[in-house]
Amino acid sequence: MRVSLKDVALRAGVSIKTVSNVVNDYQHVTPAMRARVQQAIDELGYRPNVTARHLRNGRTGIIALALPELGNPYFAELASAVIDAAAGHDYIVLLDHTGGRREQEMLVSQGFRALVIDGLILSPLELADEDLSGRTEQVPLVLLGERHYDLPYDHIAIDNVAAARAAVRHLLDLGRREVAFLGAQPRRNRPAELRVRGWREELAAAGLDAGEGLVAATDGWGHEDGARAMARLLDAGRRPDAVFASNDLIAIGAMRVLSERGLRVPEDVAVAGFDDVVEGRYGAVTLTSVSPDKAAIARMAVASVLDRLDGADRPARRQTAGLTLIERESTRGRAARG
Amino acid sequence: MRVSLKDVALRAGVSIKTVSNVVNDYQHVTPAMRARVQQAIDELGYRPNVTARHLRNGRTGIIALALPELGNPYFAELASAVIDAAAGHDYIVLLDHTGGRREQEMLVSQGFRALVIDGLILSPLELADEDLSGRTEQVPLVLLGERHYDLPYDHIAIDNVAAARAAVRHLLDLGRREVAFLGAQPRRNRPAELRVRGWREELAAAGLDAGEGLVAATDGWGHEDGARAMARLLDAGRRPDAVFASNDLIAIGAMRVLSERGLRVPEDVAVAGFDDVVEGRYGAVTLTSVSPDKAAIARMAVASVLDRLDGADRPARRQTAGLTLIERESTRGRAARG
DNA sequence: GTGAAAGCGCTAACAA
DNA sequence: TTGTTAGCGCTTTCAC
């Protein structure tokens, strides 16, 4: 059986409370007493039972992080950042993935998978406002990655539209005139929708074609989706001189197809992605990409959860994390290695 | 305040026990009673307090998974698989990363980061037998990915040596004669050590040079490590006709450098890696790689933990997960697309 | 088949 | 400064 406070108290010949005081670094304990108790603790190898402590004070020290897909390096890198940010506050992270499916995202938001958590950070792909409006679960919820939720939840956003526009402008600045968009099925309020919008706005601002013929939608966000979409576009007879993909994996899949078809990147087709995943920095052609500040996102998200736990009773807050466009070979050519 | 069993009991006009019976699907409850209690539960929106339940029965429903680095897609993909495997048994997964650092791995193995877990799956990089021999933490520990631990812990291994030999043999079968090894600093019992050993054995069996001049050690397991190691080898005047890297990221980093130096893959240099990460399937040249069965590893690991939790009192078990060598363009050329 | 009550290990009032 | 005790919400004997 595991050793409890009582055992230590017995051993040290003091009361449970005194042991508890020592364990919790309570101020008013005489050094002599502290030493005596500490010795008993060491001898017995006592470790506090966190479950009991949490039953008592209502906290578990765990926050859940629910992401669409850990296999996507963007989310893996983000998860890493969240684990570190949480560790800085003595919190640990329970990880879940939703597959980006709406029902799963709803389940998670209602806490059906994890009833032990103090807070939840959710990065939704499909979830709509109305899916969350009936939320009854009490633990603080922080939303990630979107910008148009109109709900009473804290929200760490990135400015998808502005970022997409910056990427497209970069392509236009390089003299490209036929910029295709590759990316997940744009549905209302989803990241893909905002990124197409940015693409469309920037082209429109430049007086260029943003017709549907230049958009190749994908079912998902993986390499293979990008490869298929690119192939479809080319098979349809389009020969854009630039491609903006709604994430890096799609961009990399597209580059793969371009190379198979004998098209050079960036000479024939310039390619830009979104996420700045490590993978993009090591391909045969390094990938130009919009780079969200993942560490900042993680920090803000964790801070928001803890803030709510500390009883902050303020209106829902929307914070925007920084973004940088990192220009690499897929748009600038080899000279631009980075 | 959250609604508890007591509230439901009050509402339904029954005792706490009866409500508990209903919640836990206890057999002998009259349907009428069950319906009445269920109604109260629904009306009040009762959700069991898992912390209390766990304090009572000693389980938390959480297993921890500690991996070196989530940014490495192999581990991200493995984490995904473990989450799914655990979900199949109504367990959730607490994720931690160790950076592959020994002290951190020791801390995790002692449970210092997470005192709430029922079991721990640890994938060590640096940990040595003696680091674990003094382990006092009680929760079941399952080790991942190695094969030479001589400790009383269940262990899901892959046969690194055999896998490395198979990869090298493939390179030799293609007619290559100067096969370099790129990979993390080989230290005793670490995966890298076993993979160099396989490389060395297979070359020796073929009567070929396995001299130190063909080994380029790396500090870590990332793209940049592979890039640096490859550059160093070439700068030293070696011009191998094949490279076996101890993981895919190193292989991809190396391919990047080869291409910068104007060497073609696989015509000039054939490249094989280890892990079969998705990234390797979508580069300009797809990567031949040793593919461990990640789903099987996850399944076995979770099963081992649960087995121990169910009180299995058997000697430590060593299971070996399957491996396949996936041949792609980096050794076979474009004909072999896959 | 259902109820009463003890107790899991801990913390925090309150008492001494 | 330290000890006593109630109670967090649940499960589980043991009565009824």
Side-chain angles (χ1 to χ4, degrees):
Chain A
M1 203 48 217
R2 206 165 143 155
V3 9
S4 78
L5 270 191
K6 192 151 77 175
D7 302 318
V8 178
L10 228 57
R11 171 77 156 232
V14 299
S15 84
I16 283 185
K17 176 58 164 76
T18 305
V19 181
S20 173
N21 282 341
V22 171
V23 170
N24 294 294
D25 273 325
Y26 180 65
Q27 298 286 343
H28 310 288
V29 186
T30 56
M33 180 59 85
R34 185 178 296 278
R36 186 159 123 218
V37 171
Q38 189 59 53
Q39 185 181 354
I41 288 176
D42 294 341
E43 285 171 7
L44 265 44
Y46 167 77
R47 306 266 302 281
N49 178 321
V50 186
T51 307
R53 177 178 292 172
H54 293 332
L55 172 58
R56 187 52 233 226
N57 64 22
R59 298 275 186 93
T60 65
I62 301 176
I63 56 186
L65 172 65
L67 299 170
E69 189 64 69
L70 219 44
N72 181 323
Y74 173 72
F75 292 116
E77 292 168 21
L78 185 59
S80 250
V82 171
I83 290 174
D84 291 335
H89 299 274
D90 288 321
Y91 262 78
I92 48 187
V93 174
L94 198 63
L95 201 65
D96 207 347
H97 51 190
T98 60
R101 280 170 291 114
R102 185 171 162 221
E103 318 77 60
Q104 197 61 32
E105 292 177 346
M106 287 181 67
L107 283 184
V108 165
S109 78
Q110 288 284 15
F112 283 112
R113 285 267 288 132
L115 297 142
V116 275
I117 59 175
D118 288 345
L120 169 64
I121 300 172
L122 170 63
S123 171
L125 234 39
E126 293 277 326
L127 209 63
D129 277 31
E130 57 269 29
D131 297 330
L132 240 33
S133 56
R135 180 169 188 265
T136 56
E137 175 64 29
Q138 298 291 325
V139 308
L141 166 66
V142 172
L143 262 15
L144 242 50
E146 268 310 318
R147 63 182 279 240
H148 284 299
Y149 284 109
D150 189 25
L151 289 167
Y153 297 114
D154 285 353
H155 182 192
I156 316 299
I158 54 177
D159 192 340
N160 280 293
V161 174
R165 291 193 65 158
V168 172
R169 183 164 338 113
H170 169 58
L171 294 168
L172 298 178
D173 286 348
L174 291 168
R176 309 299 166 133
R177 283 299 169 265
E178 195 170 350
V179 182
F181 179 90
L182 257 51
Q185 207 65 257
R187 274 176 272 175
R188 190 166 58 81
N189 259 357
R190 317 300 198 264
E193 197 264 343
L194 301 171
R195 294 174 192 177
V196 210
R197 187 191 304 170
W199 166 81
R200 190 171 290 121
E201 286 179 8
E202 194 60 29
L203 287 185
L208 290 169
D209 175 36
E212 285 312 304
L214 278 170
V215 176
T218 60
D219 290 331
W221 297 84
H223 298 89
E224 68 286 4
D225 298 299
R228 274 198 292 267
M230 189 74 242
R232 196 154 13 94
L233 209 63
L234 294 173
D235 291 343
R238 304 299 302 221
R239 239 302 312 280
D241 56 10
V243 167
F244 172 54
S246 58
N247 82 352
D248 283 356
L249 301 190
I250 291 175
I252 291 168
M255 288 202 290
R256 167 76 201 172
V257 168
L258 290 170
S259 121
E260 283 168 11
R261 305 289 180 98
L263 293 165
R264 291 161 308 158
V265 175
E267 292 82 353
D268 300 316
V269 185
V271 177
F274 206 113
D275 284 352
D276 188 29
V277 302
V278 174
E279 174 174 351
R281 308 209 269 270
Y282 286 90
V285 177
T286 60
L287 179 64
T288 292
S289 185
V290 173
S291 176
D293 187 343
K294 301 174 193 102
I297 294 173
R299 237 177 5 245
M300 292 178 187
V302 171
S304 274
V305 169
L306 298 185
D307 191 34
R308 290 289 182 196
L309 281 177
D310 288 346
D313 192 20
R314 43 168 178 69
R317 172 170 77 184
R318 176 165 303 162
Q319 290 175 284
T320 303
L323 284 161
T324 332
L325 178 69
I326 314 261
E327 304 176 9
R328 299 205 184 85
E329 293 169 6
S330 68
T331 56
R332 288 212 158 277
R334 274 239 157 148
R337 251 200 96 197
Chain B
M1 204 48 216
R2 207 167 141 151
V3 9
S4 79
L5 270 191
K6 192 151 75 176
D7 302 317
V8 178
L10 227 57
R11 170 76 156 234
V14 300
S15 83
I16 286 185
K17 174 61 163 78
T18 306
V19 182
S20 173
N21 282 341
V22 171
V23 171
N24 293 295
D25 273 325
Y26 180 64
Q27 298 285 343
H28 309 289
V29 188
T30 56
M33 180 59 85
R34 185 178 296 278
R36 187 162 122 218
V37 171
Q38 188 60 53
Q39 185 181 354
I41 288 177
D42 293 341
E43 285 171 7
L44 266 42
Y46 169 76
R47 305 263 302 280
N49 178 321
V50 186
T51 307
R53 178 178 290 173
H54 292 332
L55 171 59
R56 189 53 234 222
N57 65 22
R59 297 274 186 94
T60 65
I62 301 176
I63 55 184
L65 172 65
L67 299 170
E69 190 65 66
L70 219 44
N72 181 322
Y74 173 73
F75 291 116
E77 292 168 22
L78 185 60
S80 251
V82 170
I83 290 175
D84 291 336
H89 299 275
D90 288 321
Y91 262 80
I92 49 187
V93 174
L94 197 63
L95 201 64
D96 207 347
H97 52 190
T98 61
R101 280 169 292 114
R102 185 172 162 220
E103 319 77 59
Q104 196 61 33
E105 291 176 348
M106 287 180 68
L107 283 183
V108 165
S109 77
Q110 287 286 14
F112 282 111
R113 285 267 284 132
L115 297 143
V116 275
I117 61 176
D118 288 346
L120 169 65
I121 301 172
L122 170 63
S123 172
L125 233 39
E126 293 278 326
L127 209 63
D129 278 30
E130 57 268 31
D131 297 330
L132 240 34
S133 55
R135 179 171 189 266
T136 55
E137 175 63 29
Q138 299 288 326
V139 310
L141 167 66
V142 172
L143 264 12
L144 242 52
E146 267 310 315
R147 65 183 276 243
H148 284 301
Y149 284 107
D150 189 24
L151 289 167
Y153 298 113
D154 285 354
H155 183 189
I156 317 299
I158 54 177
D159 193 339
N160 280 293
V161 174
R165 290 193 64 156
V168 172
R169 183 166 334 112
H170 170 57
L171 294 168
L172 298 177
D173 287 347
L174 292 169
R176 309 298 166 133
R177 282 301 169 264
E178 195 171 350
V179 182
F181 179 89
L182 255 49
Q185 208 64 259
R187 275 177 270 175
R188 188 167 58 82
N189 257 358
R190 319 298 200 265
E193 197 265 343
L194 302 170
R195 293 174 193 177
V196 210
R197 188 192 303 172
W199 167 81
R200 189 172 290 122
E201 285 180 8
E202 193 61 29
L203 288 185
L208 289 169
D209 175 34
E212 285 312 305
L214 278 170
V215 175
T218 59
D219 290 330
W221 298 83
H223 296 90
E224 68 287 4
D225 298 299
R228 274 198 293 267
M230 190 73 240
R232 197 155 8 96
L233 209 62
L234 294 173
D235 291 341
R238 305 298 303 222
R239 238 304 311 280
D241 56 11
V243 166
F244 172 55
S246 57
N247 83 351
D248 282 357
L249 301 191
I250 291 174
I252 290 167
M255 288 203 290
R256 167 76 201 172
V257 167
L258 289 170
S259 120
E260 282 168 12
R261 305 289 179 100
L263 293 166
R264 291 162 307 158
V265 176
E267 294 81 353
D268 301 316
V269 185
V271 177
F274 206 113
D275 285 351
D276 188 30
V277 301
V278 173
E279 176 175 349
R281 308 209 268 271
Y282 285 91
V285 176
T286 61
L287 180 64
T288 292
S289 186
V290 172
S291 177
D293 187 343
K294 300 175 193 98
I297 294 173
R299 238 179 4 248
M300 291 179 187
V302 170
S304 274
V305 169
L306 298 184
D307 192 33
R308 290 290 182 193
L309 281 176
D310 288 345
D313 193 20
R314 43 168 177 69
R317 172 169 78 183
R318 173 167 304 164
Q319 289 174 284
T320 303
L323 284 162
T324 333
L325 178 69
I326 317 261
E327 303 176 10
R328 299 203 184 87
E329 294 169 6
S330 68
T331 56
R332 287 211 161 279
R334 272 232 160 153
R337 253 202 94 194

